[in-house]
Amino acid sequence: MAAAAECDVVMAATEPELLDDQEAKREAETFKEKGNAYYAKKDYNEAYNYYTKAIDMCPKNASYYGNRAATLMMLGRFREALGDAQQSVRLDDSFVRGHLREGKCHLSLGNAMAACRSFQRALELDHKNAQAQQEFKNANAVMEYEKIAETDFEKRDFRKVVFCMDRALEFAPACHRFKILKAECLAMLGRYPEAQSVASDILRMDSTNADALYVRGLCLYYEDCIEKAVQFFVQALRMAPDHEKACIACRNAKALKAKKEDGNKAFKEGNYKLAYELYTEALGIDPNNIKTNAKLYCNRGTVNSKLRKLDDAIEDCTNAVKLDDTYIKAYLRRAQCYMDTEQYEEAVRDYEKVYQTEKTKEHKQLLKNAQLELKKSKRKDYYKILGVDKNASEDEIKKAYRKRALMHHPDRHSGASAEVQKEEEKKFKEVGEAFTILSDPKKKTRYDSGQDLDEEGMNMGDFDPNNIFKAFFGGPGGFSFEGRWACCSWEFPDHKPTHSLPLRQLFGSQRGP
């Protein structure tokens, strides 16, 4: 009886356990079916909950882990999904779907080599599996894109790197490494908002990601927000003290900020030579910082303009706008240098660019001034023809006319070739025109202001320079151009009495050799 009781006890203790195990399996299957139903309806959160319940009931069922891995993949939680997929194949190495999901998770996270191993195992189990074949090709394509991108980054072909990373991310959408490389290249290409967006997305998921912090700082650094950039570089170095790129960028940012500020200080103090040297040193710190270097070139151009090295100033401003074609200050500085060197067409072009960008009254007036000077520059320069300054007095204008009229009078060149005679006649006429305009206060004012002289009723095409010559040199005895040996009278600048001399004596003998 004792033996029987002991056996009963044993049986009574064992049978409920068997019943509980079977019940657990049935309940787990129920949870799995419910999870499948929610998965089919794309309610992945509920599907996840039921697959988790199934796993809790039967933690050694490979398919439950596989199903939950699939659900986590649909939720974009690839790292968690990878853990479930790996557990599924640990429980059942012949589970083809488990290997496929493990490979897909590896690939999505950017580990293409590990993905290849998983897909190869799936093909060993089922060599005709079309999905495994395609995914294996995808994984190899990603490895090739990585290889090309690495080479192109060294060549600084950042557009090609972005292209490769975009293609790779089609298969590896959760790979932070690919996203960071793309963002860094976008920053190097000056596409800062795009780069910032990529880095910010990563930081929202992982606020301690040193690479993303570095890229955020890099964007600010290249946008000439150097102080804020340094803060991000320092934060990145706190997360990863050995982050080489962040270390170099931080050092460059601090050096650039210091040199630029020292240059600005020297300029304000009027020490232009020192300012030039400091700006030049700053330009050598980081050739990749386009916006800051554009400002440095413009600053150095301003220094050169102060030193009256206008050609150098123009060159510096040109370098500035090559780096940043939206930099208004550089266009304005170069336009002023063009005005100072009488390169009016170039000045008008720069002022037009400025006014198209910023339609202010000031910019409109600068453009009008340049256009007026350009218009004036295309007319005959009567001051240059007479050889006098624009501020010449009335007596200086008269004296200059006497000299030039006698120099270019046709009778003086009657023995020269026909070509020379024609050229001297032209110059003689221009001298007369110049005197006519500049000796008349009203006409001179209109000429100086750039107004059309034709509005005054003066048709220079019908102009006769001989009449001016007669009026100017004529005396009591009159003056005639009818004969080569006619006499001319004139009044000398020292206001001596009028004299009359034969033109032969005035011009000298013009007989041939």
Short mmCIF file of all heavy atoms in Angstrom, two decimals, residues 293-354:
data_model
loop_
_atom_site.label_atom_id
_atom_site.label_comp_id
_atom_site.label_asym_id
_atom_site.label_seq_id
_atom_site.Cartn_x
_atom_site.Cartn_y
_atom_site.Cartn_z
N ASN A 293 36.11 81.41 -45.57
CA ASN A 293 37.19 81.86 -46.45
C ASN A 293 36.72 82.95 -47.40
O ASN A 293 37.48 83.85 -47.76
CB ASN A 293 37.76 80.67 -47.23
CG ASN A 293 38.60 79.77 -46.35
OD1 ASN A 293 39.00 80.15 -45.25
ND2 ASN A 293 38.86 78.56 -46.80
N ALA A 294 35.46 82.88 -47.83
CA ALA A 294 34.91 83.94 -48.68
C ALA A 294 34.94 85.27 -47.93
O ALA A 294 35.31 86.31 -48.49
CB ALA A 294 33.48 83.60 -49.09
N LYS A 295 34.58 85.24 -46.66
CA LYS A 295 34.61 86.47 -45.85
C LYS A 295 36.04 86.95 -45.64
O LYS A 295 36.30 88.16 -45.65
CB LYS A 295 33.92 86.23 -44.50
CG LYS A 295 32.41 86.03 -44.63
CD LYS A 295 31.75 85.88 -43.27
CE LYS A 295 30.24 85.72 -43.44
NZ LYS A 295 29.55 85.59 -42.13
N LEU A 296 36.94 86.01 -45.45
CA LEU A 296 38.35 86.38 -45.26
C LEU A 296 38.92 87.03 -46.52
O LEU A 296 39.66 88.02 -46.45
CB LEU A 296 39.18 85.15 -44.88
CG LEU A 296 38.94 84.61 -43.47
CD1 LEU A 296 39.58 83.23 -43.31
CD2 LEU A 296 39.49 85.56 -42.42
N TYR A 297 38.57 86.49 -47.69
CA TYR A 297 39.03 87.09 -48.94
C TYR A 297 38.47 88.50 -49.10
O TYR A 297 39.17 89.43 -49.52
CB TYR A 297 38.59 86.24 -50.13
CG TYR A 297 39.58 85.16 -50.53
CD1 TYR A 297 39.21 83.81 -50.51
CD2 TYR A 297 40.87 85.48 -50.94
CE1 TYR A 297 40.12 82.82 -50.87
CE2 TYR A 297 41.78 84.50 -51.31
CZ TYR A 297 41.39 83.17 -51.27
OH TYR A 297 42.28 82.19 -51.64
N CYS A 298 37.18 88.66 -48.76
CA CYS A 298 36.57 89.98 -48.87
C CYS A 298 37.22 90.96 -47.89
O CYS A 298 37.48 92.12 -48.24
CB CYS A 298 35.07 89.88 -48.60
SG CYS A 298 34.17 91.42 -48.89
N ASN A 299 37.49 90.49 -46.68
CA ASN A 299 38.17 91.34 -45.69
C ASN A 299 39.55 91.75 -46.18
O ASN A 299 39.96 92.90 -46.04
CB ASN A 299 38.29 90.59 -44.36
CG ASN A 299 36.96 90.47 -43.63
OD1 ASN A 299 35.94 90.96 -44.10
ND2 ASN A 299 36.96 89.81 -42.49
N ARG A 300 40.27 90.79 -46.75
CA ARG A 300 41.60 91.12 -47.27
C ARG A 300 41.50 92.06 -48.46
O ARG A 300 42.36 92.93 -48.66
CB ARG A 300 42.36 89.84 -47.65
CG ARG A 300 43.86 90.06 -47.80
CD ARG A 300 44.61 88.77 -48.01
NE ARG A 300 44.40 88.23 -49.34
CZ ARG A 300 45.05 87.18 -49.83
NH1 ARG A 300 45.93 86.54 -49.05
NH2 ARG A 300 44.81 86.73 -51.04
N GLY A 301 40.44 91.90 -49.26
CA GLY A 301 40.20 92.82 -50.36
C GLY A 301 39.97 94.24 -49.87
O GLY A 301 40.45 95.21 -50.47
N THR A 302 39.26 94.36 -48.76
CA THR A 302 39.03 95.68 -48.15
C THR A 302 40.35 96.29 -47.69
O THR A 302 40.60 97.48 -47.87
CB THR A 302 38.07 95.55 -46.96
OG1 THR A 302 36.85 94.95 -47.40
CG2 THR A 302 37.76 96.92 -46.36
N VAL A 303 41.21 95.45 -47.11
CA VAL A 303 42.54 95.91 -46.70
C VAL A 303 43.32 96.41 -47.91
O VAL A 303 43.93 97.49 -47.88
CB VAL A 303 43.31 94.78 -45.98
CG1 VAL A 303 44.77 95.19 -45.76
CG2 VAL A 303 42.66 94.45 -44.65
N ASN A 304 43.31 95.64 -48.99
CA ASN A 304 44.03 96.04 -50.20
C ASN A 304 43.50 97.34 -50.79
O ASN A 304 44.26 98.15 -51.32
CB ASN A 304 43.97 94.92 -51.25
CG ASN A 304 45.02 93.85 -51.02
OD1 ASN A 304 46.15 94.16 -50.63
ND2 ASN A 304 44.68 92.59 -51.26
N SER A 305 42.19 97.53 -50.70
CA SER A 305 41.62 98.78 -51.21
C SER A 305 42.08 99.96 -50.36
O SER A 305 42.33 101.05 -50.88
CB SER A 305 40.09 98.71 -51.24
OG SER A 305 39.54 98.69 -49.93
N LYS A 306 42.21 99.74 -49.05
CA LYS A 306 42.73 100.79 -48.17
C LYS A 306 44.19 101.10 -48.49
O LYS A 306 44.64 102.25 -48.37
CB LYS A 306 42.61 100.35 -46.71
CG LYS A 306 41.18 100.26 -46.19
CD LYS A 306 40.57 101.64 -46.02
CE LYS A 306 39.21 101.54 -45.37
NZ LYS A 306 38.58 102.89 -45.22
N LEU A 307 44.92 100.07 -48.91
CA LEU A 307 46.33 100.25 -49.27
C LEU A 307 46.48 100.72 -50.72
O LEU A 307 47.61 100.85 -51.19
CB LEU A 307 47.08 98.93 -49.07
CG LEU A 307 47.19 98.41 -47.63
CD1 LEU A 307 47.74 96.99 -47.61
CD2 LEU A 307 48.09 99.34 -46.80
N ARG A 308 45.33 100.96 -51.40
CA ARG A 308 45.29 101.40 -52.80
C ARG A 308 45.87 100.35 -53.75
O ARG A 308 46.30 100.67 -54.86
CB ARG A 308 45.98 102.75 -53.00
CG ARG A 308 45.42 103.86 -52.14
CD ARG A 308 43.91 103.96 -52.17
NE ARG A 308 43.40 104.30 -53.51
CZ ARG A 308 42.12 104.19 -53.86
NH1 ARG A 308 41.23 103.74 -52.99
NH2 ARG A 308 41.75 104.52 -55.08
N LYS A 309 45.85 99.11 -53.33
CA LYS A 309 46.24 98.01 -54.21
C LYS A 309 44.95 97.47 -54.82
O LYS A 309 44.45 96.40 -54.47
CB LYS A 309 46.97 96.93 -53.43
CG LYS A 309 48.30 97.37 -52.84
CD LYS A 309 48.95 96.23 -52.07
CE LYS A 309 50.30 96.64 -51.50
NZ LYS A 309 50.94 95.53 -50.72
N LEU A 310 44.40 98.25 -55.76
CA LEU A 310 43.05 97.98 -56.24
C LEU A 310 42.95 96.71 -57.07
O LEU A 310 41.94 96.00 -57.01
CB LEU A 310 42.54 99.18 -57.03
CG LEU A 310 42.42 100.47 -56.22
CD1 LEU A 310 41.92 101.62 -57.08
CD2 LEU A 310 41.48 100.28 -55.02
N ASP A 311 43.97 96.41 -57.86
CA ASP A 311 43.94 95.16 -58.64
C ASP A 311 43.94 93.95 -57.72
O ASP A 311 43.24 92.97 -57.97
CB ASP A 311 45.13 95.10 -59.61
CG ASP A 311 45.01 96.10 -60.75
OD1 ASP A 311 43.87 96.53 -61.02
OD2 ASP A 311 46.04 96.45 -61.36
N ASP A 312 44.74 94.02 -56.64
CA ASP A 312 44.76 92.92 -55.66
C ASP A 312 43.43 92.82 -54.94
O ASP A 312 42.95 91.72 -54.63
CB ASP A 312 45.88 93.14 -54.65
CG ASP A 312 47.26 92.97 -55.26
OD1 ASP A 312 47.35 92.36 -56.35
OD2 ASP A 312 48.25 93.45 -54.67
N ALA A 313 42.83 93.97 -54.67
CA ALA A 313 41.53 93.98 -54.00
C ALA A 313 40.47 93.32 -54.88
O ALA A 313 39.64 92.53 -54.40
CB ALA A 313 41.12 95.42 -53.67
N ILE A 314 40.51 93.63 -56.18
CA ILE A 314 39.55 93.03 -57.12
C ILE A 314 39.74 91.51 -57.17
O ILE A 314 38.77 90.75 -57.16
CB ILE A 314 39.72 93.65 -58.52
CG1 ILE A 314 39.21 95.10 -58.51
CG2 ILE A 314 38.99 92.83 -59.58
CD1 ILE A 314 39.53 95.87 -59.77
N GLU A 315 40.99 91.08 -57.18
CA GLU A 315 41.28 89.64 -57.22
C GLU A 315 40.76 88.94 -55.97
O GLU A 315 40.17 87.85 -56.04
CB GLU A 315 42.78 89.42 -57.35
CG GLU A 315 43.16 87.94 -57.49
CD GLU A 315 44.66 87.72 -57.61
OE1 GLU A 315 45.41 88.72 -57.69
OE2 GLU A 315 45.09 86.55 -57.62
N ASP A 316 40.95 89.56 -54.80
CA ASP A 316 40.46 88.97 -53.56
C ASP A 316 38.93 88.86 -53.56
O ASP A 316 38.37 87.84 -53.15
CB ASP A 316 40.92 89.79 -52.35
CG ASP A 316 42.33 89.40 -51.89
OD1 ASP A 316 42.78 88.29 -52.24
OD2 ASP A 316 42.98 90.21 -51.21
N CYS A 317 38.27 89.91 -54.01
CA CYS A 317 36.81 89.90 -54.04
C CYS A 317 36.30 88.87 -55.05
O CYS A 317 35.27 88.23 -54.83
CB CYS A 317 36.27 91.29 -54.37
SG CYS A 317 36.54 92.49 -53.06
N THR A 318 37.02 88.72 -56.15
CA THR A 318 36.66 87.70 -57.14
C THR A 318 36.77 86.31 -56.53
O THR A 318 35.90 85.45 -56.74
CB THR A 318 37.56 87.81 -58.38
OG1 THR A 318 37.38 89.11 -58.97
CG2 THR A 318 37.22 86.73 -59.40
N ASN A 319 37.82 86.07 -55.76
CA ASN A 319 37.96 84.79 -55.07
C ASN A 319 36.82 84.57 -54.08
O ASN A 319 36.34 83.45 -53.90
CB ASN A 319 39.30 84.72 -54.35
CG ASN A 319 40.47 84.51 -55.29
OD1 ASN A 319 40.32 83.87 -56.34
ND2 ASN A 319 41.63 85.05 -54.95
N ALA A 320 36.40 85.65 -53.44
CA ALA A 320 35.30 85.56 -52.47
C ALA A 320 34.00 85.11 -53.14
O ALA A 320 33.31 84.22 -52.65
CB ALA A 320 35.10 86.89 -51.76
N VAL A 321 33.67 85.73 -54.29
CA VAL A 321 32.40 85.38 -54.94
C VAL A 321 32.49 84.03 -55.67
O VAL A 321 31.47 83.40 -55.92
CB VAL A 321 31.94 86.48 -55.92
CG1 VAL A 321 31.67 87.77 -55.17
CG2 VAL A 321 32.95 86.72 -57.03
N LYS A 322 33.70 83.59 -55.97
CA LYS A 322 33.84 82.24 -56.52
C LYS A 322 33.47 81.21 -55.45
O LYS A 322 32.87 80.17 -55.75
CB LYS A 322 35.28 82.00 -56.98
CG LYS A 322 35.62 82.60 -58.34
CD LYS A 322 37.05 82.30 -58.71
CE LYS A 322 37.42 82.93 -60.05
NZ LYS A 322 38.86 82.69 -60.38
N LEU A 323 33.84 81.49 -54.22
CA LEU A 323 33.51 80.59 -53.12
C LEU A 323 32.05 80.70 -52.71
O LEU A 323 31.42 79.71 -52.33
CB LEU A 323 34.41 80.89 -51.91
CG LEU A 323 35.90 80.58 -52.09
CD1 LEU A 323 36.68 81.04 -50.86
CD2 LEU A 323 36.13 79.10 -52.33
N ASP A 324 31.52 81.93 -52.75
CA ASP A 324 30.13 82.16 -52.33
C ASP A 324 29.51 83.19 -53.25
O ASP A 324 29.67 84.39 -53.07
CB ASP A 324 30.11 82.64 -50.87
CG ASP A 324 28.69 82.86 -50.36
OD1 ASP A 324 27.74 82.59 -51.12
OD2 ASP A 324 28.53 83.31 -49.21
N ASP A 325 28.79 82.71 -54.28
CA ASP A 325 28.25 83.63 -55.28
C ASP A 325 27.03 84.41 -54.79
O ASP A 325 26.42 85.16 -55.54
CB ASP A 325 27.91 82.89 -56.58
CG ASP A 325 26.83 81.83 -56.41
OD1 ASP A 325 26.33 81.67 -55.26
OD2 ASP A 325 26.48 81.17 -57.40
N THR A 326 26.67 84.24 -53.52
CA THR A 326 25.57 85.02 -52.94
C THR A 326 26.09 86.10 -51.99
O THR A 326 25.30 86.78 -51.33
CB THR A 326 24.62 84.10 -52.14
OG1 THR A 326 25.31 83.57 -51.01
CG2 THR A 326 24.12 82.96 -53.00
N TYR A 327 27.41 86.27 -51.95
CA TYR A 327 28.03 87.16 -50.97
C TYR A 327 27.98 88.62 -51.46
O TYR A 327 28.84 89.09 -52.19
CB TYR A 327 29.47 86.71 -50.73
CG TYR A 327 30.15 87.35 -49.53
CD1 TYR A 327 29.44 88.03 -48.55
CD2 TYR A 327 31.52 87.28 -49.39
CE1 TYR A 327 30.06 88.60 -47.47
CE2 TYR A 327 32.17 87.85 -48.31
CZ TYR A 327 31.43 88.51 -47.36
OH TYR A 327 32.07 89.09 -46.28
N ILE A 328 26.94 89.32 -51.05
CA ILE A 328 26.68 90.68 -51.51
C ILE A 328 27.82 91.64 -51.19
O ILE A 328 28.22 92.47 -52.02
CB ILE A 328 25.36 91.21 -50.88
CG1 ILE A 328 24.18 90.38 -51.38
CG2 ILE A 328 25.16 92.68 -51.22
CD1 ILE A 328 23.96 90.42 -52.86
N LYS A 329 28.36 91.53 -50.00
CA LYS A 329 29.42 92.46 -49.56
C LYS A 329 30.62 92.40 -50.50
O LYS A 329 31.24 93.42 -50.80
CB LYS A 329 29.84 92.13 -48.14
CG LYS A 329 30.78 93.14 -47.51
CD LYS A 329 31.07 92.80 -46.06
CE LYS A 329 32.04 93.80 -45.45
NZ LYS A 329 32.31 93.48 -44.02
N ALA A 330 30.96 91.19 -50.98
CA ALA A 330 32.10 91.04 -51.88
C ALA A 330 31.82 91.69 -53.22
O ALA A 330 32.70 92.33 -53.82
CB ALA A 330 32.43 89.56 -52.06
N TYR A 331 30.60 91.55 -53.72
CA TYR A 331 30.23 92.21 -54.99
C TYR A 331 30.31 93.73 -54.85
O TYR A 331 30.80 94.42 -55.75
CB TYR A 331 28.82 91.81 -55.41
CG TYR A 331 28.69 90.43 -55.99
CD1 TYR A 331 28.05 89.41 -55.29
CD2 TYR A 331 29.22 90.12 -57.24
CE1 TYR A 331 27.93 88.14 -55.82
CE2 TYR A 331 29.10 88.85 -57.78
CZ TYR A 331 28.45 87.86 -57.06
OH TYR A 331 28.34 86.60 -57.58
N LEU A 332 29.83 94.24 -53.73
CA LEU A 332 29.86 95.69 -53.51
C LEU A 332 31.29 96.21 -53.43
O LEU A 332 31.62 97.26 -53.99
CB LEU A 332 29.10 96.04 -52.23
CG LEU A 332 27.57 95.90 -52.28
CD1 LEU A 332 26.98 96.04 -50.89
CD2 LEU A 332 26.98 96.96 -53.22
N ARG A 333 32.13 95.48 -52.71
CA ARG A 333 33.53 95.90 -52.57
C ARG A 333 34.22 95.86 -53.93
O ARG A 333 34.94 96.79 -54.30
CB ARG A 333 34.24 94.96 -51.59
CG ARG A 333 35.74 95.19 -51.47
CD ARG A 333 36.09 96.58 -51.02
NE ARG A 333 35.47 96.89 -49.74
CZ ARG A 333 35.39 98.12 -49.23
NH1 ARG A 333 35.89 99.14 -49.90
NH2 ARG A 333 34.82 98.32 -48.05
N ARG A 334 33.99 94.81 -54.71
CA ARG A 334 34.64 94.71 -56.02
C ARG A 334 34.12 95.79 -56.96
O ARG A 334 34.88 96.38 -57.73
CB ARG A 334 34.40 93.32 -56.62
CG ARG A 334 35.17 93.10 -57.92
CD ARG A 334 35.09 91.68 -58.39
NE ARG A 334 33.76 91.31 -58.86
CZ ARG A 334 33.46 90.14 -59.43
NH1 ARG A 334 34.41 89.22 -59.57
NH2 ARG A 334 32.23 89.87 -59.82
N ALA A 335 32.81 96.05 -56.89
CA ALA A 335 32.23 97.09 -57.76
C ALA A 335 32.85 98.45 -57.49
O ALA A 335 33.14 99.21 -58.41
CB ALA A 335 30.72 97.13 -57.55
N GLN A 336 33.07 98.76 -56.20
CA GLN A 336 33.69 100.04 -55.87
C GLN A 336 35.11 100.11 -56.41
O GLN A 336 35.56 101.15 -56.90
CB GLN A 336 33.68 100.24 -54.35
CG GLN A 336 34.23 101.60 -53.90
CD GLN A 336 33.48 102.76 -54.52
OE1 GLN A 336 32.25 102.87 -54.38
NE2 GLN A 336 34.17 103.64 -55.25
N CYS A 337 35.83 99.00 -56.33
CA CYS A 337 37.20 98.95 -56.88
C CYS A 337 37.17 99.13 -58.40
O CYS A 337 38.04 99.79 -58.97
CB CYS A 337 37.88 97.64 -56.51
SG CYS A 337 38.26 97.49 -54.75
N TYR A 338 36.18 98.54 -59.04
CA TYR A 338 36.04 98.73 -60.48
C TYR A 338 35.76 100.20 -60.81
O TYR A 338 36.29 100.75 -61.78
CB TYR A 338 34.89 97.88 -61.02
CG TYR A 338 35.24 96.42 -61.24
CD1 TYR A 338 34.31 95.41 -60.91
CD2 TYR A 338 36.45 96.03 -61.79
CE1 TYR A 338 34.61 94.07 -61.12
CE2 TYR A 338 36.76 94.69 -62.01
CZ TYR A 338 35.83 93.72 -61.67
OH TYR A 338 36.12 92.39 -61.88
N MET A 339 34.93 100.82 -59.98
CA MET A 339 34.64 102.25 -60.20
C MET A 339 35.92 103.07 -60.04
O MET A 339 36.20 103.97 -60.84
CB MET A 339 33.59 102.72 -59.20
CG MET A 339 32.20 102.14 -59.41
SD MET A 339 31.38 102.76 -60.89
CE MET A 339 30.95 104.43 -60.36
N ASP A 340 36.69 102.75 -59.01
CA ASP A 340 37.92 103.50 -58.74
C ASP A 340 38.97 103.32 -59.84
O ASP A 340 39.82 104.18 -60.03
CB ASP A 340 38.52 103.07 -57.40
CG ASP A 340 37.65 103.47 -56.21
OD1 ASP A 340 36.79 104.37 -56.40
OD2 ASP A 340 37.81 102.89 -55.13
N THR A 341 38.90 102.20 -60.55
CA THR A 341 39.85 101.95 -61.64
C THR A 341 39.20 102.20 -63.01
O THR A 341 39.76 101.81 -64.04
CB THR A 341 40.38 100.51 -61.58
OG1 THR A 341 39.27 99.59 -61.53
CG2 THR A 341 41.26 100.30 -60.36
N GLU A 342 38.02 102.84 -63.00
CA GLU A 342 37.31 103.23 -64.22
C GLU A 342 36.96 102.04 -65.11
O GLU A 342 36.87 102.16 -66.32
CB GLU A 342 38.12 104.27 -65.01
CG GLU A 342 38.35 105.56 -64.23
CD GLU A 342 39.07 106.63 -65.04
OE1 GLU A 342 39.37 106.38 -66.22
OE2 GLU A 342 39.32 107.72 -64.50
N GLN A 343 36.72 100.89 -64.48
CA GLN A 343 36.23 99.71 -65.21
C GLN A 343 34.71 99.65 -65.02
O GLN A 343 34.18 98.82 -64.28
CB GLN A 343 36.90 98.44 -64.67
CG GLN A 343 38.42 98.44 -64.83
CD GLN A 343 39.05 97.18 -64.29
OE1 GLN A 343 38.84 96.07 -64.80
NE2 GLN A 343 39.84 97.33 -63.23
N TYR A 344 34.03 100.56 -65.71
CA TYR A 344 32.62 100.81 -65.43
C TYR A 344 31.70 99.67 -65.87
O TYR A 344 30.68 99.43 -65.21
CB TYR A 344 32.20 102.12 -66.07
CG TYR A 344 32.98 103.31 -65.55
CD1 TYR A 344 33.76 104.09 -66.41
CD2 TYR A 344 32.99 103.63 -64.20
CE1 TYR A 344 34.49 105.17 -65.93
CE2 TYR A 344 33.72 104.70 -63.71
CZ TYR A 344 34.48 105.46 -64.59
OH TYR A 344 35.21 106.51 -64.11
N GLU A 345 32.01 99.02 -66.95
CA GLU A 345 31.16 97.91 -67.38
C GLU A 345 31.14 96.81 -66.32
O GLU A 345 30.09 96.25 -66.01
CB GLU A 345 31.66 97.35 -68.71
CG GLU A 345 31.37 98.25 -69.90
CD GLU A 345 31.69 97.58 -71.22
OE1 GLU A 345 31.98 96.36 -71.22
OE2 GLU A 345 31.66 98.26 -72.25
N GLU A 346 32.31 96.51 -65.77
CA GLU A 346 32.39 95.50 -64.71
C GLU A 346 31.66 95.95 -63.46
O GLU A 346 30.99 95.16 -62.78
CB GLU A 346 33.85 95.20 -64.38
CG GLU A 346 34.61 94.45 -65.47
CD GLU A 346 35.12 95.37 -66.57
OE1 GLU A 346 34.81 96.59 -66.54
OE2 GLU A 346 35.83 94.88 -67.47
N ALA A 347 31.77 97.25 -63.16
CA ALA A 347 31.08 97.79 -61.98
C ALA A 347 29.57 97.67 -62.15
O ALA A 347 28.86 97.26 -61.21
CB ALA A 347 31.47 99.24 -61.75
N VAL A 348 29.08 98.02 -63.34
CA VAL A 348 27.63 97.92 -63.61
C VAL A 348 27.17 96.48 -63.46
O VAL A 348 26.11 96.20 -62.87
CB VAL A 348 27.31 98.45 -65.03
CG1 VAL A 348 25.88 98.06 -65.43
CG2 VAL A 348 27.46 99.95 -65.07
N ARG A 349 27.95 95.55 -63.96
CA ARG A 349 27.59 94.14 -63.86
C ARG A 349 27.45 93.71 -62.40
O ARG A 349 26.49 93.02 -62.02
CB ARG A 349 28.66 93.29 -64.54
CG ARG A 349 28.35 91.80 -64.57
CD ARG A 349 29.55 91.00 -65.07
NE ARG A 349 30.68 91.15 -64.15
CZ ARG A 349 31.94 91.33 -64.52
NH1 ARG A 349 32.26 91.40 -65.79
NH2 ARG A 349 32.90 91.44 -63.61
N ASP A 350 28.39 94.13 -61.55
CA ASP A 350 28.33 93.75 -60.13
C ASP A 350 27.16 94.42 -59.42
O ASP A 350 26.46 93.79 -58.62
CB ASP A 350 29.64 94.10 -59.43
CG ASP A 350 30.71 93.04 -59.64
OD1 ASP A 350 30.40 91.99 -60.23
OD2 ASP A 350 31.86 93.26 -59.23
N TYR A 351 26.94 95.70 -59.72
CA TYR A 351 25.83 96.40 -59.07
C TYR A 351 24.48 95.84 -59.53
O TYR A 351 23.52 95.81 -58.75
CB TYR A 351 25.91 97.90 -59.35
CG TYR A 351 26.93 98.63 -58.50
CD1 TYR A 351 27.84 99.52 -59.08
CD2 TYR A 351 27.01 98.42 -57.13
CE1 TYR A 351 28.78 100.19 -58.31
CE2 TYR A 351 27.95 99.08 -56.35
CZ TYR A 351 28.84 99.96 -56.95
OH TYR A 351 29.77 100.62 -56.18
N GLU A 352 24.40 95.39 -60.77
CA GLU A 352 23.17 94.76 -61.24
C GLU A 352 22.92 93.46 -60.47
O GLU A 352 21.78 93.17 -60.08
CB GLU A 352 23.27 94.46 -62.74
CG GLU A 352 23.07 95.68 -63.62
CD GLU A 352 23.26 95.39 -65.10
OE1 GLU A 352 23.88 94.35 -65.43
OE2 GLU A 352 22.79 96.20 -65.92
N LYS A 353 23.97 92.70 -60.25
CA LYS A 353 23.85 91.46 -59.48
C LYS A 353 23.35 91.76 -58.06
O LYS A 353 22.46 91.08 -57.54
CB LYS A 353 25.21 90.77 -59.41
CG LYS A 353 25.30 89.57 -58.48
CD LYS A 353 24.66 88.36 -59.06
CE LYS A 353 24.88 87.15 -58.17
NZ LYS A 353 24.21 85.94 -58.67
N VAL A 354 23.90 92.79 -57.46
CA VAL A 354 23.52 93.18 -56.10
C VAL A 354 22.06 93.62 -56.08
O VAL A 354 21.28 93.19 -55.21
CB VAL A 354 24.44 94.30 -55.58
CG1 VAL A 354 23.88 94.88 -54.28
CG2 VAL A 354 25.85 93.78 -55.36
#
